[in-house]
Amino acid sequence: MSFIAFLILGLIVGAIAKAILPGRQRGGILITMLLGVVGALLGGWIGGAIFGVGLENFWSLQTWIVAIVGSLIVLGVYGALVRRRA
């Protein structure tokens, strides 16, 4: 997958993760994109390590699922850290 496609995937997946995760998360579009990209990396790593599924193809359902799961994990950790500081 190209770098631009990976950034687009991260932005979309970050927005999906924010919509799925209940509560109010801080951050704008850049934080959403950053969390989505980090989450996609984490999801790809976990998917590859446990299930043998990675982030090979942009239009693959497996890519989207592991990226969303990774983004949910990263967004949950980010939300816990932000709440702890406030």
Side-chain angles (χ1 to χ4, degrees):
M1 180 180 332
S2 72
F3 184 71
I4 300 296
F6 193 75
L7 288 178
I8 292 169
L9 174 73
L11 178 63
I12 295 169
V13 166
I16 291 171
K18 273 192 173 185
I20 291 173
L21 199 63
R24 186 174 159 171
Q25 295 88 18
R26 296 180 181 160
I29 191 141
L30 290 176
I31 296 297
T32 300
M33 185 178 205
L34 179 66
L35 292 175
V37 169
V38 171
L41 283 172
L42 178 68
W45 181 76
I46 291 172
I50 296 174
F51 305 112
V53 176
L55 301 173
E56 291 88 24
N57 191 0
F58 184 81
W59 297 109
S60 171
L61 183 61
Q62 296 169 342
T63 297
W64 286 86
I65 290 172
V66 297
I68 290 171
V69 168
S71 292
L72 286 170
I73 293 169
V74 169
L75 190 59
V77 170
Y78 173 76
L81 290 174
V82 169
R83 277 187 235 121
R84 204 175 273 181
R85 286 186 189 168

